[in-house]
Amino acid sequence: MNPSVIEVVAYVTGLEAERITVISPFPLIGSEALALLKDQRVRILATAPLPGGIGFENENRLIETPADHFPVPLAEKQGVAVFLGGPAMFSGVDLLLSLLSGRWSFVCRIRGSFSHCKVYRLLFNHWKSEITWHLRRMPESHPVIRLVSRLREIELLQRLWRGRQVTHSDGILPSESDGKDDEAIYQEIITALKNGTSGGLDVVPGRILHVNAGLAAGGAERQICLTLTGLKRHGHSDVALLGEYKGAMDDFPPFVQTLDAAKIPYESVTKVSVPGVLRRLPKRVATALSQLPLNLLSDILALVEEFNRRQPQIVQAWQDSTSISAGIAAAIAGVPGIMLCGRNVSPVCLPTYQPHFRAAYRAILQMPGVVLTNNSRAGATSYARWLDIDADSIPVVYNAVDSVEPRPMLPADWRRSLSIPAAAPVIGGIFRLTPQKRPILWLQAVAVLGESFPDAHFVIAGEGGMRDEILHHAATLGLDGRFHLLGNESDVSALYAIFDVFFIVSREEGLANVLLEAQKAGVPVVCTDVGGNKEAVQPDRTAVIVEMPDPDALAFALTRVLNDKHWRASAKIAGPQHIEANFSTDAMIEKTIMLYKVARLTGRTIC
């Protein structure tokens, strides 16, 4: 008997109600139906058709409905209605028809147990998730997205959107999770999968499918391109990239052009009907999944359908959010090899962090064929501590640097375009304009330096939400005329060539690509002592690492570098040598292929 049916029988037995309707989204076997109908208070048992046309003496209480429709409106207005699944199994039409028929609440599975939920709350949550799904797939430049960004600043609308005004009797919907109860949900999902109810995918040998949010300008996206093109050079021709939000985010043209030139497909994930896909999954798996937040479940089930259609032998997912949705989806579909790529230290302090991350990761890592990697030993140690697992179970795959980069624009042209004198020292940084990169601290440090070097210029290349704030601070610090804020630049090789020092003050880092690129270009580095920075550079030979992240200490390190011409000349030679010896594309690809070949826990050869 299905464990969820056993649980609902026990729950119904303990109910203090005279009339009960039980609704099953899946066909029941005869013993399950009998167990529910044994309680005479169960006036209606609505279910998809029973196998073999099994009949009962009290068939007037048993209502069989089409398998593609949940019989929500059949619940009696009086008494308690108990639904065997979670909220995600209801469609908007189901919930609307329920309200029109006078049914105002259901009991359904929430976080591993049965709870009362108001139908209007479920309907609001459904519509909210649908709207969010479409918004997340609109370009940032779309007028609707701009309007929504402004509306988000209104506190009352924020509270209404989050749906925090709930009474105790409403129950707590999955979208309101604080992460404390997620462990039970994800463990239920994994238990269902491990009990042999996951898909048995008929894979295409050698097919490798990478998944990420998209190809925005960023370090992870650069490594995706290097990995895909490197795999193809090493003989793995059947490779492709799926973008969860392709079309919504601004793809960085050089990355797209790189994949196009290598004839590597880059395609988007197609939206699916959540109730429709759930009905096609094994009962126990679908029941467990239906308790997840609808937005997350939409992403997971869309990827399940993609994996079923594309039949990959390996799925490699990048960054936390995508790793979780793609990891669960690949396990459901039965993909034999699943590689999840962490790109930083543990995400608890990052703006992308969500409360369910830890429980989801811990559950996924219980599945055979799954391996979690990181791009630095510091990152692997941080993840291991966060997840309470052995750090040695997280292999490190270091980032690589392009072997050859074009330089269409000469350094002298760059200086002229920015009105920087030929002899003026230039402090440069390339990073996203986000709080994690601490651009205000960057400005404060160069402002202190500028007092000793009045002819110095300061350049940042990157985009992000802090652009206006950065320009305001630069003006306040008196850097007008000497500070240059560029956008995302494709010609980074020539940009590095005008830097006398590469400067980055991140709060958290995994293994920053820009540190590798700067050293390859022969540019000395000054950086903060965070994450994998010490692994990326050679301290005191190619870089100066600052332990105290304050403007004076950082400015002092920059001053040392600018004043020591001999050290800079030595770093210009040592930097490229360090990168060639430790961060080659071939080394990264060889380590990646090795991890493909060994499935975690089972040791099966999978590619």
Side-chain angles (χ1 to χ4, degrees), residues 418-552:
L418 298 174
S419 300
I420 299 176
V426 177
I427 309 299
I430 301 175
F431 48 81
R432 286 176 176 164
L433 310 182
T434 63
Q436 178 195 352
K437 303 298 183 180
R438 296 196 286 203
I440 305 306
L441 176 61
W442 194 98
L443 289 174
Q444 292 169 341
V446 299
V448 174
L449 175 75
E451 296 174 4
S452 302
F453 292 85
D455 59 338
H457 282 245
F458 315 107
V459 178
I460 294 178
E463 289 287 0
M466 294 184 67
R467 183 179 184 85
D468 292 342
E469 184 180 353
I470 290 168
L471 290 172
H472 171 74
H473 272 79
T476 302
L477 292 167
L479 297 177
D480 288 338
R482 293 196 291 160
F483 174 64
H484 313 274
L485 182 57
L486 314 180
N488 289 325
E489 292 292 339
S490 57
D491 185 19
V492 293
S493 58
L495 194 55
Y496 281 118
I498 72 169
F499 295 163
D500 291 281
V501 183
F502 184 82
F503 184 40
I504 187 169
V505 295
S506 305
R507 178 182 292 112
E508 302 287 353
E509 282 289 357
L511 195 82
N513 288 325
V514 288
L515 294 184
L516 307 183
E517 293 168 356
Q519 291 172 99
K520 183 179 175 67
V523 183
V525 168
V526 172
C527 63
T528 44
D529 185 10
V530 297
N533 283 359
K534 281 184 177 178
E535 297 171 64
V537 303
Q538 285 189 308
D540 299 325
R541 190 176 179 210
T542 66
V544 175
I545 296 181
V546 182
E547 295 184 2
M548 185 67 68
D550 68 65
D552 290 333

Side-chain angles (χ1 to χ4, degrees), residues 8-122:
V8 81
V9 169
Y11 179 80
V12 167
T13 301
L15 272 177
E16 295 182 1
E18 295 182 359
R19 305 175 70 87
I20 301 172
T21 299
V22 177
I23 301 170
S24 173
F26 305 107
L28 299 173
I29 61 176
S31 60
E32 293 171 339
L34 282 172
L36 288 165
L37 290 171
K38 184 177 180 180
D39 191 323
Q40 293 301 312
R41 297 174 301 158
V42 177
R43 303 302 176 91
I44 294 176
L45 171 58
T47 179
L50 277 71
I54 301 172
F56 300 95
E57 294 179 2
N58 50 4
E59 63 275 352
N60 58 312
R61 295 162 59 202
L62 177 68
I63 301 176
E64 295 183 314
T65 62
D68 60 349
H69 176 67
F70 294 161
V72 174
L74 294 177
E76 293 185 324
K77 296 180 183 179
Q78 296 80 28
V80 178
V82 181
F83 184 69
L84 269 65
M89 287 184 174
F90 295 114
S91 69
V93 173
D94 290 330
L95 296 169
L96 187 58
L97 289 175
S98 177
L99 285 175
L100 293 175
S101 69
R103 166 54 58 184
W104 296 97
S105 67
F106 281 97
V107 171
C108 57
R109 287 181 65 84
I110 302 287
R111 295 196 178 95
S113 61
F114 289 98
S115 301
H116 283 271
C117 283
K118 297 291 180 64
V119 175
Y120 77 88
R121 289 278 301 152
L122 296 174

Side-chain angles (χ1 to χ4, degrees), residues 198-199 201 300 303-304 307 315 324-338:
S198 59
L201 193 64
I300 291 171
L303 287 169
V304 169
F307 298 157
V315 163
I324 288 169
S325 56
I328 295 174
I332 293 169
V335 177
I338 305 167

Side-chain angles (χ1 to χ4, degrees), residues 268-336:
S268 60
V269 175
T270 303
K271 179 177 170 57
V272 298
S273 164
V274 168
V277 179
L278 284 175
R279 292 186 186 105
R280 295 195 293 272
L281 295 178
K283 289 189 290 185
R284 191 170 178 183
V285 174
T287 300
L289 286 170
S290 65
Q291 300 169 77
L292 292 176
L294 192 53
N295 279 329
L296 173 60
L297 186 56
S298 297
D299 290 342
I300 291 171
L301 295 183
L303 287 169
V304 169
E305 294 292 276
E306 293 286 354
F307 298 157
N308 283 332
R309 180 169 64 86
R310 297 172 185 271
Q311 302 173 290
Q313 193 173 27
I314 301 290
V315 163
Q316 183 168 347
W318 297 76
Q319 308 188 94
D320 297 302
S321 183
T322 298
S323 287
I324 288 169
S325 56
I328 295 174
I332 293 169
V335 177

